[in-house]
Amino acid sequence: MRERRVAQGAGRAQEFEAFVAGAAGRLLLAATLLTAEAPDANPRARRLLTLALGHTYARWHRLRGEDPYDCARQYLAVRFARTIWHRHRLLGRERPAPRGPLAGLNPQERLVLVLRMYEGVAEEQTAALLGLTADRVHTVCDRATSLVLHPVRASGPRTVNAKVAPS
């Protein structure tokens, strides 16, 4: 009996290792986009990925028929959303400014855009996952897409080349 459990545990570990080898890169990129960190310096994204993979491994034997990638992606999104909510409640805690390609978006816009455009999750599924209406998800996604495609440029001080007439 004990040998059978050991063999099942080894099989479970091998299956999970194969899953991580195939999915970790894409999940890390999704986490990096969510945290708006630079791809070469992304400690928050790596922590988020580690938590998502740990959660998926803990549920591995109960995922029968479910997609483990979907499980990891859902946990990644929910954990990011909770972390952002908690961070906004803590005042006075400074973080480095985001530098990634989605740095100009707020966290909700990044989350919706990554789920909808990068991960290809349907509007209704995204709405259910985030506790929003489908119309709200659509609006946020449209706005985020517009901001990424047409970023608002910071305007510096204007110089006016007007000649002053003598009085």
Side-chain angles (χ1 to χ4, degrees), residues 113-132:
L113 192 66
V114 167
L115 287 174
R116 291 282 299 125
M117 298 300 166
Y118 179 71
E119 289 293 326
V121 178
E123 228 170 63
E124 294 79 20
Q125 289 176 317
T126 302
L129 180 65
L130 302 178
L132 302 171

Side-chain angles (χ1 to χ4, degrees), residues 100-155:
L102 302 181
L105 304 177
N106 70 40
Q108 184 184 47
E109 291 168 341
R110 284 196 310 261
L111 182 57
V112 169
L113 192 66
V114 167
L115 287 174
R116 291 282 299 125
M117 298 300 166
Y118 179 71
E119 289 293 326
V121 178
E123 228 170 63
E124 294 79 20
Q125 289 176 317
T126 302
L129 180 65
L130 302 178
L132 302 171
T133 64
D135 289 339
R136 178 70 181 145
V137 168
H138 182 78
T139 302
V140 170
C141 188
D142 281 352
R143 179 175 176 213
T145 304
S146 176
L147 287 171
V148 168
L149 294 176
H150 310 287
V152 178
R153 295 188 179 144
S155 59

